[in-house]
Amino acid sequence: MTHSGLVLASYGTTLQDARRRDIEPLARELRASAPGTPFCEAYLSAPVRRMLLRNGVAAPGALGDALSALADAGVERVCVQPTLIVAGSTLDALLAEASGWAGAFPGGVAVGEPLLSSARDLRDVARAIAGAHPALPGRALVLVGHGATGGANEPYLALLDELRAQGRADAFLGLIDGAHGIDEVTSGIKAAGLGAATLAPLMLAAGSHVARQLAAGAPDSWQARLRAAGVEADLDMRGLGSLPAIRTVFLNHARVALRP
């Protein structure tokens, strides 16, 4: 039997450019970090999996498919590393599903931490974002996350605090779901006297939903609404998975979860 196995579990994307840019580099590095360890990928989103299947695109299956394959391969203990940014309902569902597989693995199923899980994570992620998006005179950097239920949004706010502690007064936080929506972001930018903004996804992969909700093609998109409010806005479609320092944080979390 093989002692351990490893699963990279991401939400998934229907855009192959986003997969190549934001997900595949992390998958390659995670596999390389544990030589000889059986490795699988999983897409957590059933709608994404269905759309890819309809279009005849080869893509990772569900988490259960990955765990079944590793159990069949004789893996004794498995680590599932999610690419989630914060803990929330998606992580709760993943943990529940993973626990249901515990009986298939004598050593159990471990689940790695989301991206923003410690003070060190916040420092490392803030530095990575600041390096990828240098400050520009008169321009705000608006990081846009999905948002999560309940207190799960606190790490997003802590990340903003960390960015500002590192000298990035130009940084703002937007969440697609819940508080810190486009109206609050627009008010903050204008109150700061900034006339331009760059929207950047605070997500592993910037897929089709990001383009629909943020890009200027739709009149109610974030980019269009900023422009309508007099703020010149552009969109950087790179997901966090494209940044090497972000991938290192996920690799560290997986390394901890893989320990016996």
Side-chain angles (χ1 to χ4, degrees):
M1 297 183 72
T2 303
H3 179 63
S4 15
L6 188 54
V7 178
L8 179 67
S10 58
Y11 181 85
T13 179
T14 59
L15 296 184
Q16 293 309 294
D17 284 349
R19 172 171 172 79
R20 285 189 289 269
R21 179 190 61 230
D22 302 329
I23 299 177
E24 288 183 356
L26 177 56
R28 285 194 300 269
E29 291 178 17
L30 190 57
R31 184 195 292 266
S33 72
T37 299
F39 175 83
C40 291
E41 277 191 76
Y43 273 4
L44 299 174
S45 170
V48 167
R49 296 195 307 270
R50 286 195 296 268
M51 185 174 296
L52 291 170
L53 183 62
R54 283 199 304 269
N55 294 335
V57 178
L63 177 59
D65 297 329
L67 293 173
S68 178
L70 291 176
D72 290 345
V75 165
E76 294 180 333
R77 182 174 183 275
V78 66
C79 163
V80 179
Q81 178 56 55
T83 63
L84 304 174
I85 308 305
V86 300
S89 59
T90 302
L91 180 63
D92 291 341
L94 187 156
L95 289 169
E97 183 172 2
S99 68
W101 281 88
F105 300 95
V109 180
V111 177
E113 298 281 1
L115 182 67
L116 301 178
S117 296
S118 70
R120 177 183 174 183
D121 293 340
L122 292 169
R123 289 192 299 270
D124 291 346
V125 171
R127 289 184 186 123
I129 290 171
H133 301 280
L136 297 172
R139 178 174 288 273
L141 171 63
V142 182
L143 301 170
V144 186
H146 282 296
T149 55
N153 282 329
E154 291 179 2
Y156 287 120
L157 301 174
L159 177 63
L160 179 62
D161 289 342
E162 179 63 30
L163 276 162
R164 290 184 169 172
Q166 293 182 17
R168 293 301 299 267
D170 61 314
F172 293 82
L173 171 70
L175 298 176
I176 291 174
D177 295 323
H180 304 279
I182 180 59
D183 291 336
E184 183 172 344
V185 168
T186 303
S187 296
I189 291 171
K190 294 180 79 67
L194 302 173
T198 294
L199 296 164
L202 192 58
M203 313 165 193
L204 182 83
S208 57
H209 65 294
V210 175
R212 287 195 303 270
Q213 293 177 289
L214 299 188
D220 60 346
S221 73
W222 286 45
Q223 191 175 15
R225 290 175 66 179
L226 281 169
R227 289 175 176 175
V231 179
E232 189 279 316
D234 60 20
L235 173 61
D236 187 331
M237 280 289 287
R238 289 177 296 170
L240 292 176
S242 68
L243 306 181
I246 298 292
R247 300 197 295 270
T248 296
V249 175
F250 281 120
L251 294 178
N252 288 337
H253 289 181
R255 191 172 297 115
V256 170
L258 270 171
R259 292 173 185 164

